[in-house]
Amino acid sequence: MTKIINIKERVLSENDRLAAEIRKKLAARRIVSLNLVSSPGSGKTSLLERTLETLKDRMSLALIAGDVQTENDANRLIKAGGKAVRPIVTGGACHLDARMITRVLDEMDIDRIEILFIENVGNLVCPSGYDLGEDMKVALISTTEGDDKPLKYPAMFRRASAMVINKIDLLGLSDFDIERVKKNALQINGNLRIFETSCRTGAGLESWYEWLKKLVAGKKL
Amino acid sequence: MTKIINIKERVLSENDRLAAEIRKKLAARRIVSLNLVSSPGSGKTSLLERTLETLKDRMSLALIAGDVQTENDANRLIKAGGKAVRPIVTGGACHLDARMITRVLDEMDIDRIEILFIENVGNLVCPSGYDLGEDMKVALISTTEGDDKPLKYPAMFRRASAMVINKIDLLGLSDFDIERVKKNALQINGNLRIFETSCRTGAGLESWYEWLKKLVAGKKL
């Protein structure tokens, strides 16, 4: 078992090295980079669709969409007007890693990009361990999941800088308690910036957009 | 990289060896064993709660509930009347493996058990690769997720024997198309037994219970 752990550590340190290079590359271009993580079905692609539709004419956005199989998510994002959209099909792997991002970034023209969104594989466990060189992780949770998710998957919520509580239009149709989920999340990570959204109705998205704009403005200071 | 893959293969073959031992042990006692897999929040614990409440006086049920952190799920199942409930906290690991099950089974009195439910970690990727010695995998999907999940996570649906489409009370509140999800799932695995349920309203649960009873009866032939 020791041997396995050592090799796992070596893989992770190689990942960290590549992530540091990505971070440097993005910083040189003052690009805001967000790594979106969640369970399958929390609405990462929907949030990115709405964001693209609303901001694409005002900002220069790029997206990397990871999936285990199919390019469905990337195709939805291209349909929503994304010009700089790149799919990564992991072919079974349960998370993106820095090597995959490096390879895709090498083929993209990112010189004028303001925000790079990375949509990770839908999985609340494995992606938490892999730095992709991003500025921040954004964890999504939907109101149709359990409100104890932050306690059950603490690594993800501890490493995230923001949490988006999505599908608030479905509040009241299950036992999900929005105050409880916020309390649980803040117990794990007191610095979380929290958004409450419905990608279906559009509720709450304005403050998400405002936050993105502030992140971009911050990079230009 | 070859080295890593070889070690991964060795871990998997050790898992298969332990899984075969579990399978033998359960078969000797004619125990039906089901490994429940899904995204976080699809309703595995809710389905088991309802099943316990309804069947506990008619059948002898045991449950192993896996979670990354917390024993929340196991506690819910004990509250629902489960007597033979054992938690496994994986402490970060994204799936259960046969070694964890072996260790727990060794401490359980399973001589009179008719069904053993194993609730895997909420994750549609990693648990698909680990045989736990179960008779069948049951994959849950809820109507608040995307109906393309079987295409995006094909390994899981290919290895499952049954699929439970849960939260049918929320049909119509999103773009989820129940006919499309069934078509997608059957395209991946034409042998899937499909159930449509709402653990909230109880809809569709009768045929799930009937199926469980038939599985138990089948073991006694």
Side-chain angles (χ1 to χ4, degrees), chain A:
Chain A
M1 283 311 275
T2 323
K3 210 168 173 189
I4 297 167
I5 290 164
N6 286 346
I7 289 188
K8 199 183 166 194
E9 271 170 14
R10 228 185 300 155
V11 170
L12 281 176
S13 83
E14 170 65 2
N15 188 79
D16 285 347
R17 193 185 61 74
L18 290 171
E21 277 178 22
I22 296 170
R23 189 163 282 117
K24 209 171 142 190
K25 188 173 180 172
L26 298 176
R29 290 163 180 80
R30 303 187 174 206
I31 298 173
V32 173
S33 54
L34 301 176
N35 177 1
L36 273 70
V37 293
S38 80
S39 302
S42 296
K44 293 183 295 307
T45 316
S46 299
L47 180 65
L48 290 176
E49 280 177 324
R50 298 295 296 235
T51 304
L52 266 178
E53 284 159 5
T54 308
L55 299 182
K56 70 179 177 205
D57 298 329
R58 287 187 270 168
M59 281 186 193
S60 182
L61 308 173
L63 298 98
I64 298 176
D67 242 324
V68 177
Q69 290 296 342
T70 82
E71 297 184 0
N72 286 9
D73 291 349
N75 291 337
R76 282 174 60 189
L77 295 170
I78 291 167
K79 231 188 225 169
K83 281 167 196 160
V85 177
R86 290 293 180 287
I88 295 180
V89 176
T90 68
C94 49
H95 59 85
L96 295 178
D97 63 34
R99 196 170 40 91
M100 301 174 190
I101 302 296
T102 302
R103 209 182 302 144
V104 171
L105 276 185
D106 281 347
E107 294 167 3
M108 291 174 84
D109 176 11
I110 55 166
D111 280 345
R112 290 183 199 175
I113 293 299
E114 291 173 290
I115 308 183
L116 171 67
F117 293 100
I118 303 171
E119 180 180 350
N120 219 312
V121 172
N123 183 330
L124 269 180
V125 188
C126 317
S128 74
Y130 288 80
D131 183 3
L132 304 181
E134 73 276 359
D135 290 328
M136 303 181 209
K137 285 190 173 65
V138 176
L140 272 77
I141 180 168
S142 77
T143 64
T144 55
E145 302 170 39
D147 51 29
D148 58 352
K149 287 285 169 294
L151 304 179
K152 291 167 80 176
Y153 301 89
M156 193 61 96
F157 291 87
R158 195 170 299 127
R159 288 172 190 157
S161 303
M163 172 169 84
V164 176
I165 307 172
N166 192 30
K167 307 192 192 178
I168 56 168
D169 55 310
L170 299 181
L171 272 176
L173 297 174
S174 68
D175 303 328
F176 185 93
D177 181 330
I178 196 161
E179 294 310 320
R180 198 159 52 209
V181 80
K182 289 196 266 186
K183 201 180 127 223
N184 288 340
L186 292 171
Q187 181 184 327
I188 297 293
N189 176 354
N191 296 317
L192 270 179
R193 176 88 172 78
I194 299 178
F195 299 93
E196 302 175 21
T197 66
S198 163
C199 292
R200 193 174 157 81
T201 67
L205 288 173
E206 267 315 316
S207 57
W208 164 253
Y209 301 144
E210 284 310 311
W211 185 65
L212 295 178
K213 285 183 212 161
K214 272 184 202 152
L215 292 178
V216 169
K219 285 273 178 184
K220 290 178 180 163
L221 288 180

Side-chain angles (χ1 to χ4, degrees), chain B residues 173-184:
Chain B
L173 297 174
S174 69
D175 302 329
F176 185 94
D177 181 330
I178 197 161
E179 294 310 319
R180 198 158 53 209
V181 80
K182 287 196 269 187
K183 203 180 127 223
N184 288 340

